Amino acid sequence: MDYQDGSENMDGWKMVRVQERPDPVGREPAMAKEVTPCSEYTRFTSEGRMMDPHSSLSVILDSYLTGHLFRSGPFQKAKWSDRLGYGMGLIGEDTRIHLHTTGKYVIRRALDRDHANLIQLVLSQLSRPALYSTRNGSFMWEIIRDLSLGKDVGDLKSIDQLFPWPGGEGCENDMEEAIASFNEADELFSSTVERILEDGSDLELENISNGSSQLVDEFGNGSQKLLDGDLYLTGKVLGWGSYILLVLTAIKNR
């Protein structure tokens, strides 16, 4: 497996190596969200294929990274297959959800239309840090990392287009909130990513990787609040999720 060079330093950070860029060829067109009544009275089904921020085609999500965040979300009995790029889980007693790395999602037996729409929002926000930007050639978590470090991110207009994803009207302060929560996470762990790259051992960071840390709890709780209708947390969830993926990538590739 090929990796990008990870030797660059900036303000005490070593850029974490990442897997080679995915191939955007062969994607299907995005599919408009559709919410329809189920066969059961008062229940609803929602399905669609989330759209790339820069085209009418479907998104590209990294399976390994998306799976980690999916399992950390507000779902019961959450399961994810890295090989298949597919996950499923349960909300409440019997609302079933399915998510694919192609951006396709299916929500069955949602309580009502609003419930279906909120679940779709949570699915997109959970996977957002693992979104690959076909125009920038970077994953979303990498862009948040670079913005947080004050690193040159290239095409700012293209970056701006990523933040309203997936609905086109994102929260006004999403970028600022994402950067702030990313930096707060780094302060919480005393900027230990550099240390784990150097000596390969840090219990706190290992806990992030296996899902048992305060940061993972913050991410899960924030996702639950989104599900409950607190839409002002999208930026914070993006920042927390981006830091989790930075750590996860560092541990995987050390």
Side-chain angles (χ1 to χ4, degrees):
M1 183 177 291
D2 295 328
Y3 294 93
Q4 292 189 334
D5 177 41
S7 61
E8 180 181 356
N9 277 280
M10 183 172 190
D11 296 332
W13 281 67
K14 188 179 293 182
M15 296 295 101
V16 178
R17 295 178 301 170
V18 296
Q19 297 176 11
E20 63 179 328
R21 310 291 90 175
D23 186 352
V25 175
R27 290 179 294 158
E28 297 181 78
M31 185 171 67
K33 178 177 64 176
E34 184 176 6
V35 181
T36 57
C38 290
S39 56
E40 295 179 66
Y41 181 65
T42 75
R43 293 299 186 98
F44 285 80
T45 291
S46 177
E47 57 185 308
R49 189 178 295 113
M50 293 182 281
M51 183 183 294
D52 182 287
H54 302 303
S55 76
S56 61
L57 297 175
S58 58
V59 298
I60 298 175
L61 300 173
D62 180 87
S63 181
Y64 175 69
L65 301 179
T66 302
H68 190 82
L69 297 179
F70 184 85
R71 290 189 296 268
S72 301
F75 312 129
Q76 304 165 41
K77 301 180 180 179
K79 299 179 180 179
W80 184 271
S81 168
D82 291 336
R83 182 177 65 84
L84 298 176
Y86 166 74
M88 59 186 299
L90 191 67
I91 295 175
E93 293 185 1
D94 55 5
T95 299
R96 298 191 176 275
I97 56 169
H98 306 264
L99 178 66
H100 301 252
T101 50
T102 60
K104 181 180 179 180
Y105 63 89
V106 180
I107 303 163
R108 300 195 185 283
R109 306 188 81 236
L111 300 180
D112 52 34
R113 284 184 178 274
D114 289 341
H115 191 223
N117 288 331
L118 282 172
I119 294 171
Q120 188 273 328
L121 173 70
V122 170
L123 289 174
S124 64
Q125 297 304 318
L126 276 176
S127 56
R128 195 178 183 193
L131 169 71
Y132 180 69
S133 171
T134 52
R135 184 168 296 176
N136 301 91
S138 298
F139 288 102
M140 193 72 183
W141 74 262
E142 296 174 305
I143 292 170
I144 297 299
R145 174 201 64 192
D146 292 347
L147 288 170
S148 300
L149 297 174
K151 189 175 181 288
D152 181 16
V153 293
D155 186 355
L156 288 175
K157 184 177 180 181
S158 178
I159 296 292
D160 287 340
Q161 285 182 264
L162 293 170
F163 282 89
W165 185 83
E169 298 179 354
C171 291
E172 184 177 350
N173 299 319
D174 260 13
M175 183 185 294
E176 293 82 358
E177 292 285 352
I179 292 170
S181 61
F182 183 97
N183 288 332
E184 287 168 5
D186 192 45
E187 290 174 8
L188 179 65
F189 294 99
S190 303
S191 299
T192 51
V193 170
E194 179 72 12
R195 185 162 72 250
I196 195 172
L197 290 174
E198 290 177 350
D199 63 25
S201 61
D202 188 292
L203 181 59
E204 288 271 37
L205 294 178
E206 291 284 3
N207 286 340
I208 292 178
S209 180
N210 63 36
S212 56
S213 80
Q214 179 182 340
L215 178 58
V216 176
D217 289 343
E218 292 278 8
F219 178 80
N221 292 337
S223 301
Q224 179 61 57
K225 289 179 180 178
L226 285 177
L227 186 59
D228 294 337
D230 188 350
L231 305 185
Y232 294 100
L233 284 174
T234 53
K236 287 186 178 295
V237 168
L238 174 59
W240 291 326
S242 295
Y243 196 85
I244 289 170
L245 295 192
L246 182 148
V247 172
L248 194 67
T249 304
I251 292 173
K252 182 182 179 184
N253 297 336
R254 67 186 178 193

